[in-house]
Amino acid sequence: MPRRLLAVVALAGLLLAAGAQNRYDAVVDYFGDRAAFVSLPSGQTLKVLSFGFQNLAADMLFIWSIQFYSTYHITNRFEFLERVFEVITDITPTYKEPYIVGALIMVYEAKDIPMALRLLDKGARHNPGDWVFELDAGFYCYKYLKDFARAEAYYNRAAAQPGAPSFIRRMKAHMVYLRDDPQAATRMWLDIYRNAESTLERDSAFNHLYQIKAENDLPLLRDKIAVFRGRWGRWPDALPDLVRPGLLAALPRDFAGNDYIYDPQQGTVTAQRIFRWKKR
Amino acid sequence: MRTAVKGIALNTFRESARNKVFYLLVFFGVLFALSSKLVSFLTLGDAMKVLKDTGLAAIHFFSALIAVFTGVNLVYKEIEKKTVLNILSKPVSRDQFIFGKFLGLALTMLVALAVMAGIFFVFVALNGGGFDPAIALYFLMLLLELLIIVAISLLFSSFTTPILSFIFTLSLYLIGHVMWTYNEFKVVLKAPLWRGFARFLYYLLPNLAKFNIKNEVVLGTPPGAWTVLLSILYALAYILALLCLTILIFRRREFS
Amino acid sequence: MKALEIKGLRKTFRSNFMLKKYRVLKGIDLEVERGEIYGFLGPNGAGKTTTIKCVLGLLNADGGEVLVEGRPVAAIDSRRCVGFLPENPYFYDYLTARELLTFAASLFDLPPPAVRERIGALLHRVGLSGREDLKLRKYSKGMIQRLGLAQALINDPDLLILDEPFSGLDPIGRKDMRALIFSLREAGKTVFFSSHILQDMEMMVDRVGIILDGVIRRQGKLSELIARSTQYYEVACTGIAEGRLAQIQSNYAVRDGHYVLTLASDADVNLVVESIIHNDGRIIAVTPVKMTLEDIFFSEMRNGQ
């Protein structure tokens, strides 16, 4: 056979094979028909089966799972979600991304926060000294579970890790504030305020302290103003009027040291700066 | 003309049939297939499924090993030990030599697989299982896969050293079983150049996963007739292309 | 038509990365007549095997023309009436001699019944009868060489190409090989064989081609190459007084108690012999000294350097 004809036949063979492949792909749904979750072996087994290539095996499974969980037309795709990430993290327990990404999928795709927390707990267990797992877990507790005490516990552990960024301490203080312990929160924020390493941190602590103090002082003032009006049938002319009859031992000032602003016409009292952190 | 091809094919088969390593691999394939009985003791419930799973996996693994080993070894030895000089100095064309080699290797794979498949079926029957035509279909698909491997090893042997052919063939075999990951790549790859490159590789490299229907077969969900037909067509076309390429390369080859 | 005709054959090998070129054949011209034994003589590395491989299509020549029985090498049929014994042949060691020859016959498309008979006869001819069904891994080097010859003869070729057929053979094997080559010539076959050993050639070839460094330096009938080259005459004598002898011819030596004179031409011989007899000397021998193949070979090698 002449050379040119051979080359043409070789090319034709390849094209024919490609065509067959193309038709084949059109028939076979790789994720539907062939999803192998049911027979996914345990992490231990996979470790053996990977013959020393467990990192590669974990990578492949991880990469595959990312693709799979972002294939939106498969409706029951979360059925084996926890198992898949359990297996991946069993094979390579110190590989961090699967914990983080798995938790993301569990929270935002599967909307199962306790599952994500279980995965992150496992990550923290296998990676002592690493704060990212507890940071993420704390955030999910705070944001989606509204369980501030649990979030505080996570942030507490995260902040204790070496090299943990300072904002974790601020998150923790905020959790304490959110779970209605202004005294403890004030103590923590003061500590942050005094030991601040940057103006950002300082300003943030200042703002929080201002807010907490205002939230403590303003109801007190309003209460005393109401008592004053009940006794004398009019609004006090100015805030010091509350001190003179002995309603208040001393006039509270805001965290910046300024007086709260009083409107004698309406009898209302406000702070100079108002911050509103949404509570619950 | 025809007797030369036949002679080379039969001699190639005879070489495997008289090679100890070949027997050893077939023996181990059978041994591991039979040891699936041990694994089935460990399971609860459907022991027959475990028996079939493990047995088919052992046959798949060892037959692929035989294909790579035999394919690379037989052609390499012919060139390295210069027996090819005795053939090509006679009125035998390079094309006939390659074609005869392929047929001989194909016959070797057919016989090796037939032995292992036969023992497997007898073994299943002894354990109270019936003859499952779907498993016979799997063996046919496996044979096609083995023929592609053998043709690949022949292609590499025609121009490179045995150790490289071995590595290339084995790599292509492994890659061939995960080619379906392209379906995920194409979603991720945005740059048209990368997309085109991935697409080119996808259609160029051997795609062997389609022959690996052992999981589906054991679970009782064999592929449909159309996908089987497409798989057979794919195998035949791919082997044809490989053989033509091998001949093109081998024609230019010199034996110094 | 010649049995083998090579014109201007050139072949260059390249090193692994195409960086270096090795010009192995620099224009080989040679002709082998039908029915003769042609000796292809040259030292190791001169290009003998490369030439043979180009003739058999195992290597692709860079240039030049090769005709085997009038057919170009590119035609696969040019090998139909050729038998080839490679240098240090190796055969599948898992086969028996009979199986190997059957395989070789299958490559020629020979009809099976005729083949069986021919295989028996060939094995007998090369002295391997009785060992037909022994696996080749049990064969000695000499036996392999004999078997190699048998497989080269399986198609009853007109032209036999033997690459270093005597290498690795013991004296009996060499004698047998020589006898076989002669018997082939008697049967009207052409034998082309290469060797780097001169004695192999001198005793048997009709014509010889000397290859040195990729070029044919000399080609011709062995008798002609040698006849043309009587170099000098030696006259051995005794009984003459040394003083007298020195007067006749100053150029002499003493060997085995005789005086040996070296003379350039036959005219000198007459004169000198007469003088010796005249001086009571006795002539023992007058020998024309011809060049041996070895001398020719070495003088060519010197010229080449």
Side-chain angles (χ1 to χ4, degrees):
Chain A
M1 237 195 309
R3 189 175 297 172
R4 191 168 298 172
L5 183 61
L6 264 176
V8 168
V9 173
L11 202 64
L14 281 177
L15 285 176
L16 190 58
Q21 183 64 45
N22 194 292
R23 291 294 86 215
Y24 182 87
D25 291 342
V27 180
V28 174
D29 177 358
Y30 284 96
F31 285 129
D33 294 1
R34 300 192 142 216
F37 286 131
V38 193
S39 46
L40 184 68
S42 74
Q44 288 295 338
T45 320
L46 259 184
K47 208 166 182 169
V48 174
L49 287 180
S50 61
F51 295 104
F53 290 87
Q54 56 262 48
N55 279 8
L56 185 69
D59 285 349
M60 298 310 274
L61 192 57
F62 178 44
I63 290 167
W64 174 58
S65 68
I66 293 170
Q67 312 307 320
F68 180 76
Y69 287 112
S70 44
T71 310
Y72 293 101
H73 65 85
I74 303 168
T75 44
N76 62 343
R77 65 192 195 281
F78 302 118
E79 207 176 326
F80 295 97
L81 178 60
E82 187 162 21
R83 174 120 175 79
V84 168
F85 279 93
E86 206 175 278
V87 169
I88 297 172
T89 53
D90 271 353
I91 305 173
T92 52
T94 50
Y95 183 17
K96 285 161 202 159
E97 275 72 13
Y99 295 110
I100 306 298
V101 175
L104 275 171
I105 294 171
M106 288 165 183
V107 169
Y108 293 104
E109 304 290 345
K111 317 266 185 230
D112 189 336
I113 286 92
M115 189 197 275
L117 293 178
R118 282 195 294 275
L119 185 64
L120 290 169
D121 284 346
K122 186 178 172 189
R125 216 165 40 242
H126 287 287
N127 297 276
D130 210 315
W131 42 266
V132 284
F133 308 107
E134 274 136 349
L135 174 68
D136 279 18
F139 181 73
Y140 296 138
C141 284
Y142 152 55
K143 186 85 181 172
Y144 299 103
L145 288 185
K146 315 279 183 207
D147 185 342
F148 306 117
R150 198 168 170 193
E152 180 197 347
Y154 275 121
Y155 285 132
N156 195 25
R157 281 196 298 261
Q161 306 291 0
S166 58
F167 74 87
I168 298 180
R169 280 195 305 160
R170 305 206 289 276
M171 289 304 286
K172 185 179 127 192
H174 191 50
M175 290 309 111
V176 172
Y177 161 74
L178 286 177
R179 71 171 166 75
D180 279 330
D181 189 346
Q183 261 114 42
T186 304
R187 250 179 283 124
M188 292 171 83
W189 280 117
L190 274 174
D191 184 47
I192 294 167
Y193 181 70
R194 290 190 190 115
N195 301 315
E197 284 157 7
S198 66
T199 46
L200 178 96
E201 189 170 14
R202 215 182 140 82
D203 290 352
S204 166
F206 178 90
N207 290 339
H208 277 89
L209 286 164
Y210 190 98
Q211 167 86 14
I212 295 169
K213 186 158 181 10
E215 279 181 1
N216 184 53
D217 292 348
L218 290 177
L220 180 74
L221 285 171
R222 283 184 194 123
D223 185 40
K224 298 302 172 190
I225 291 166
V227 172
F228 186 97
R229 189 184 161 92
R231 231 177 256 183
W232 286 282
R234 62 171 178 96
W235 300 115
D237 294 330
L239 284 178
D241 291 358
L242 295 172
V243 181
R244 256 166 265 134
L247 289 175
L248 281 170
L251 195 62
R253 296 215 163 88
D254 68 9
F255 189 69
N258 298 317
D259 288 332
Y260 290 107
I261 299 157
Y262 176 63
D263 180 355
Q265 255 69 54
Q266 308 287 323
T268 55
V269 63
T270 51
Q272 276 189 337
R273 324 185 190 188
I274 299 293
F275 300 94
R276 266 269 159 261
W277 286 289
K278 219 168 90 191
K279 221 172 180 186
R280 269 161 233 193
Chain B
M1 289 293 160
R2 271 180 27 248
T3 58
V5 171
K6 200 172 116 192
I8 292 168
L10 287 178
N11 193 51
T12 304
F13 173 68
R14 187 151 48 188
E15 175 156 11
S16 321
R18 292 185 186 175
N19 190 323
K20 284 192 194 97
V21 180
F22 174 73
Y23 282 106
L24 212 63
L25 286 174
V26 173
F27 169 76
F28 267 99
V30 170
L31 190 73
F32 273 77
L34 297 189
S35 70
S36 58
K37 179 76 185 166
L38 292 177
V39 181
S40 71
F41 285 136
L42 301 176
T43 186
L44 291 172
D46 194 356
M48 184 52 80
K49 177 187 175 294
V50 175
L51 196 112
K52 285 176 176 172
D53 275 342
T54 326
L56 291 182
I59 291 175
H60 186 185
F61 180 75
F62 279 97
S63 62
L65 217 56
I66 292 172
V68 177
F69 170 80
T70 327
V72 170
N73 202 31
L74 291 197
V75 179
Y76 146 71
K77 260 166 93 182
E78 195 97 60
I79 294 170
E80 189 62 26
K81 297 204 162 177
K82 304 201 166 180
T83 47
V84 70
L85 301 185
N86 298 320
I87 295 176
L88 294 180
S89 62
K90 295 185 166 56
V92 176
S93 69
R94 306 277 173 103
D95 307 13
Q96 288 170 327
F97 177 78
I98 291 296
F99 196 50
K101 269 286 164 209
F102 177 73
L103 288 184
L105 290 169
L107 184 63
T108 307
M109 296 324 299
L110 178 70
V111 171
L113 190 58
V115 168
M116 291 196 274
I119 291 174
F120 176 82
F121 279 128
V122 170
F123 185 61
V124 168
L126 286 178
N127 283 280
F131 175 77
D132 185 353
I135 290 181
L137 176 67
Y138 168 63
F139 284 129
L140 172 71
M141 299 303 258
L142 180 57
L143 180 65
L144 292 175
E145 180 180 334
L146 297 176
L147 293 188
I148 292 179
I149 298 173
V150 155
I152 291 171
S153 67
L154 203 60
L155 173 67
F156 285 125
S157 299
S158 69
F159 66 90
T160 184
T161 59
I163 189 75
L164 285 181
S165 336
F166 186 81
I167 292 169
F168 290 157
T169 308
L170 204 63
S171 309
L172 276 186
Y173 167 75
L174 294 176
I175 291 169
H177 277 276
V178 291
M179 283 302 279
W180 51 268
T181 49
Y182 164 75
N183 290 293
E184 279 130 55
F185 275 117
K186 71 180 175 191
V187 181
V188 184
L189 293 174
K190 298 283 186 275
L193 194 68
W194 280 114
R195 252 190 118 108
F197 183 61
R199 193 179 157 83
F200 173 71
L201 283 184
Y202 179 68
Y203 287 116
L204 179 71
L205 297 179
N207 195 323
L208 302 175
K210 66 170 78 61
F211 304 109
N212 180 19
I213 57 169
K214 59 176 179 289
N215 306 308
E216 288 79 356
V217 156
V218 171
L219 291 173
T221 53
W226 178 232
T227 50
V228 169
L229 261 170
L230 281 173
S231 303
I232 294 174
L233 179 68
Y234 178 87
L236 295 180
Y238 202 79
I239 290 170
L240 178 72
L242 282 172
L243 283 181
C244 288
L245 275 176
T246 309
I247 287 172
L248 276 174
I249 294 170
F250 199 68
R251 276 184 186 180
R252 302 176 60 91
R253 169 115 197 193
E254 300 206 309
F255 303 95
S256 49
Chain C
M1 192 175 48
K2 315 274 188 209
L4 177 62
E5 215 175 336
I6 303 177
K7 277 184 204 150
L9 183 65
R10 280 180 290 111
K11 177 71 193 169
T12 302
F13 286 119
R14 285 162 205 279
S15 68
N16 277 349
F17 295 101
M18 306 262 179
L19 296 174
K20 251 186 171 172
K21 286 182 176 179
Y22 301 95
R23 292 178 63 213
V24 178
L25 302 183
K26 302 168 181 170
I28 298 281
D29 296 289
L30 66 80
E31 287 171 358
V32 179
E33 303 288 344
R34 293 189 130 179
E36 72 175 356
I37 299 177
Y38 187 100
F40 193 34
L41 180 65
N44 292 328
K48 298 191 297 290
T49 302
T50 305
T51 307
I52 290 175
K53 282 183 174 170
C54 287
V55 168
L56 293 164
L58 297 169
L59 291 174
N60 303 319
D62 298 335
E65 194 187 6
V66 178
L67 293 175
V68 182
E69 302 280 349
R71 274 173 292 202
V73 174
I76 279 148
D77 272 350
S78 72
R79 266 153 261 156
R80 194 157 287 285
C81 50
V82 176
F84 171 54
L85 170 66
E87 182 179 4
N88 300 323
Y90 177 87
F91 302 106
Y92 312 100
D93 55 11
Y94 53 88
L95 294 183
T96 67
R98 194 189 294 282
E99 284 169 340
L100 179 82
L101 293 183
T102 312
F103 171 56
S106 77
L107 302 180
F108 281 100
D109 243 342
L110 300 176
V115 163
R116 213 163 302 134
E117 225 167 89
R118 184 158 175 78
I119 288 173
L122 271 176
L123 286 170
H124 179 74
R125 192 171 177 189
V126 298
L128 285 177
S129 23
R131 312 276 176 84
E132 300 94 332
D133 298 313
L134 196 63
K135 290 264 165 61
L136 298 189
R137 67 169 65 93
K138 305 231 165 83
Y139 269 41
S140 70
K141 201 175 174 206
M143 286 160 77
I144 289 286
Q145 193 84 355
R146 288 161 187 265
L147 181 63
L149 193 62
Q151 65 87 35
L153 293 171
I154 191 77
N155 55 328
D156 193 21
D158 296 327
L159 169 63
L160 216 78
I161 297 177
L162 313 175
D163 195 1
E164 299 279 359
F166 295 100
S167 84
L169 289 182
D170 60 9
I172 300 169
R174 301 168 84 84
K175 188 180 135 278
D176 289 352
M177 179 66 77
R178 211 173 290 134
L180 246 157
I181 292 175
F182 280 131
S183 76
L184 285 168
R185 178 174 56 184
E186 267 156 45
K189 312 288 185 195
T190 314
V191 180
F192 176 93
F193 81 92
S194 76
S195 180
H196 63 281
I197 298 165
L198 299 145
Q199 289 89 326
D200 293 342
M201 299 278 173
E202 253 172 346
M203 300 162 97
M204 52 194 304
V205 300
D206 297 309
R207 287 200 317 143
V208 67
I210 299 178
I211 179 174
L212 275 173
D213 200 19
V215 179
I216 297 284
R217 284 299 175 76
R218 271 202 205 188
Q219 184 181 230
K221 276 211 160 86
L222 194 55
S223 54
E224 282 172 10
L225 273 181
I226 292 170
R228 257 195 277 126
S229 56
T230 299
Q231 289 179 306
Y232 54 90
Y233 296 85
E234 278 184 352
V235 176
C237 62
T238 186
I240 185 170
E242 198 163 349
R244 304 290 304 168
L245 183 63
Q247 284 176 350
I248 298 165
Q249 172 73 22
S250 61
N251 186 11
Y252 67 90
V254 183
R255 203 191 289 161
D256 298 336
H258 309 310
Y259 299 112
V260 180
L261 294 82
T262 306
L263 302 169
S265 70
D266 46 0
D268 293 345
V269 172
N270 267 346
L271 245 134
V272 167
V273 167
E274 256 174 47
S275 310
I276 290 170
I277 294 169
H278 190 73
N279 287 293
D280 304 326
R282 196 154 53 84
I283 299 294
I284 294 170
V286 177
T287 325
V289 177
K290 290 183 177 181
M291 244 181 157
T292 60
L293 196 49
E294 194 161 355
D295 293 322
I296 297 171
F297 184 73
F298 281 119
S299 82
E300 283 302 335
M301 266 183 84
R302 267 194 301 278
N303 292 346
Q305 277 167 4

